[in-house]
Amino acid sequence: MKPNLFIVGQPKSGTTALHQFLGQHPEIYMSSIKEPHFFCADFHLESDRAYGKQRFYDFRSESAYLQLFSKAKNVKIAGESSTNYLYSQVAAEKIHNFNPDAKIIIVLREPAQFLYSLHSHYVKFTEENEPDFLTALALETKRQQEEALSPRVTSPSYLYYSQRVQYYQQVKRYRDRFKPEQIKVILFEEFKSANERIFREILEFLGVQPNFTPEYAAINVNKEVKFKTINNLINNPVAKSIFKNLLSQEFNDFVRDKIVEKLLWHQAPKATMSEAIKLQLKQQYQPEVAKISDLLQLDLLSKWGYNNLPSQVSSL
């Protein structure tokens, strides 16, 4: 079956939980590999150029990609959740060319918290080699000039943090190609606080039985590395490549999710961003929040706390 549902992002916004919840529904098949990233050819090219060879993005041919859905039998919906499709400049067009009738789900998260969580995630998986959040943000200009690159990042522009929250142009790429009734935008904060209600809305949007109740799990639980040296070794691209060639990606994902997480990581309270940093970022991204609010006809300035910011925030 040709996939007809794409959860396109953002990362660190509850998409893994949503993918798992949807996969439990009898009328829905979600790919065993959550993020094949087949349609973001711009990142494929950028990554290959950065490393001088293909190191990442295994699904490059349509035949290999469609194999992910070979078990989708007697269902209404077949989907996947590549969370960088929203950030990609070409994925929206490629998905539309592939299936113009597809349904698109976009999950947006308040920009400052999103960036803080994204940076922590990349540090944990050793894609980001600058552990200090503010320093990593400040490196963006150098990284765009191919300086101070992180040696393990999947694609260099993943760490262009300010571009990650250009929500207006990201959402507009999909709005320009798909009909309004084909797109569902949800807010991470609402999904986390009222997941049963939001999940039912999503099922109605997909046209499947809306009264189904999945086994709900915690959304976006924070985990910290217990053994950094071992974690660094396991996330070494050379080691990953060896295991990838020897074993299936499904098995490697199982090892990562069910074994590595239990042995090397532990659930911990989330590190909190200082109020000074949060205010600075909110001041910086307030115009972007205003633009996406206008596009969606949704008052995100109020929902995300951007409507009563101080007129001037001192630089950090």
Side-chain angles (χ1 to χ4, degrees):
M1 179 177 178
K2 200 172 190 179
N4 56 1
L5 168 63
F6 300 90
I7 302 173
V8 299
Q10 290 280 33
K12 306 309 296 174
S13 300
T15 58
T16 297
L18 179 56
H19 185 98
Q20 293 171 350
F21 296 167
L22 289 172
Q24 297 176 43
H25 195 290
E27 296 177 279
I28 300 174
Y29 178 88
M30 298 301 288
S31 58
S32 58
I33 295 174
K34 180 200 169 211
E35 303 192 33
H37 282 117
F38 173 64
F39 293 101
C40 49
D42 48 346
F43 295 141
H44 300 177
L45 292 172
E46 182 187 59
S47 179
D48 292 353
R49 184 168 59 248
Y51 293 105
K53 61 180 180 180
Q54 180 180 335
R55 177 178 285 185
F56 302 103
Y57 304 109
D58 293 336
F59 295 93
R60 305 284 184 104
S61 71
E62 186 170 313
S63 60
Y65 176 68
L66 290 176
Q67 276 295 112
L68 293 173
F69 306 94
S70 61
K71 296 179 182 178
K73 309 290 185 183
N74 303 314
V75 294
K76 290 184 179 179
I77 299 293
E80 55 118 321
S81 307
S82 297
T83 56
N84 285 300
Y85 285 163
L86 187 62
Y87 183 39
S88 166
Q89 296 187 38
V90 303
E93 180 178 6
K94 288 184 176 296
I95 292 171
H96 186 267
N97 291 341
F98 174 78
N99 189 349
D101 298 319
K103 295 289 184 75
I104 306 296
I105 294 177
I106 298 171
V107 189
L108 298 180
R109 183 175 183 178
E110 187 276 308
Q113 286 295 152
F114 165 63
L115 290 181
Y116 192 74
S117 180
L118 185 69
H119 171 263
S120 297
H121 172 83
Y122 283 149
V123 170
K124 180 170 67 177
F125 283 97
T126 72
E127 293 211 42
E128 171 62 86
N129 64 345
E130 176 47 67
D132 181 74
F133 178 53
L134 284 181
T135 304
L137 297 185
L139 283 174
E140 182 172 336
T141 300
K142 285 188 174 181
R143 285 171 165 171
Q144 289 174 335
Q145 298 169 351
E146 299 186 355
E147 300 175 17
L149 296 177
S150 179
R152 292 187 177 182
V153 67
T154 302
S155 192
S157 61
Y158 278 18
L159 303 183
Y160 299 170
Y161 291 103
S162 71
Q163 295 183 15
R164 302 302 302 250
V165 291
Q166 292 176 347
Y167 291 168
Y168 173 82
Q169 67 180 43
Q170 292 170 9
V171 173
K172 191 173 186 299
R173 282 194 285 264
Y174 287 88
R175 292 280 291 263
D176 286 346
R177 292 167 175 83
F178 293 91
K179 298 174 184 176
E181 60 268 24
Q182 292 177 257
I183 302 175
K184 175 75 171 174
V185 177
I186 63 178
L187 303 182
F188 164 75
E189 295 80 8
E190 293 183 353
F191 182 45
K192 187 173 183 178
S193 63
N195 55 29
E196 291 187 34
R197 175 178 63 83
I198 299 298
F199 185 66
R200 187 164 288 107
E201 289 181 7
I202 292 170
L203 296 182
E204 291 173 352
F205 164 71
L206 296 176
V208 297
Q209 173 54 251
N211 295 323
F212 174 80
T213 301
E215 292 183 14
Y216 288 109
I219 296 173
N220 204 236
V221 173
N222 186 63
K223 294 183 178 180
E224 293 184 354
V225 176
K226 287 192 287 187
F227 306 109
K228 292 185 177 180
T229 301
I230 300 175
N231 183 68
N232 190 59
L233 177 63
I234 287 176
N235 282 290
N236 186 296
V238 175
K240 282 185 174 181
S241 180
I242 292 172
F243 285 119
K244 181 175 66 179
N245 291 329
L246 291 175
L247 304 166
S248 70
Q249 186 164 340
E250 288 93 339
F251 182 78
N252 285 322
D253 286 349
F254 171 81
V255 170
R256 181 197 66 202
D257 296 339
K258 304 300 183 182
I259 299 176
V260 171
E261 280 199 21
K262 286 183 170 57
L263 294 178
L264 299 185
W265 302 345
H266 64 99
Q267 189 170 329
K270 292 188 178 182
T272 57
M273 182 172 23
S274 74
E275 287 301 313
I277 294 174
K278 186 185 299 184
L279 280 174
Q280 183 193 34
L281 292 176
K282 282 190 169 185
Q283 187 74 37
Q284 181 178 349
Y285 297 123
Q286 187 180 45
E288 183 63 36
V289 173
K291 286 172 63 179
I292 188 61
S293 293
D294 185 60
L295 179 67
L296 297 176
Q297 292 297 289
L298 189 63
D299 186 9
L300 295 176
L301 289 167
S302 295
K303 287 180 179 290
W304 284 342
Y306 281 71
N307 54 340
N308 292 311
L309 295 178
S311 57
Q312 184 68 36
V313 176
S314 60
S315 60
L316 299 172

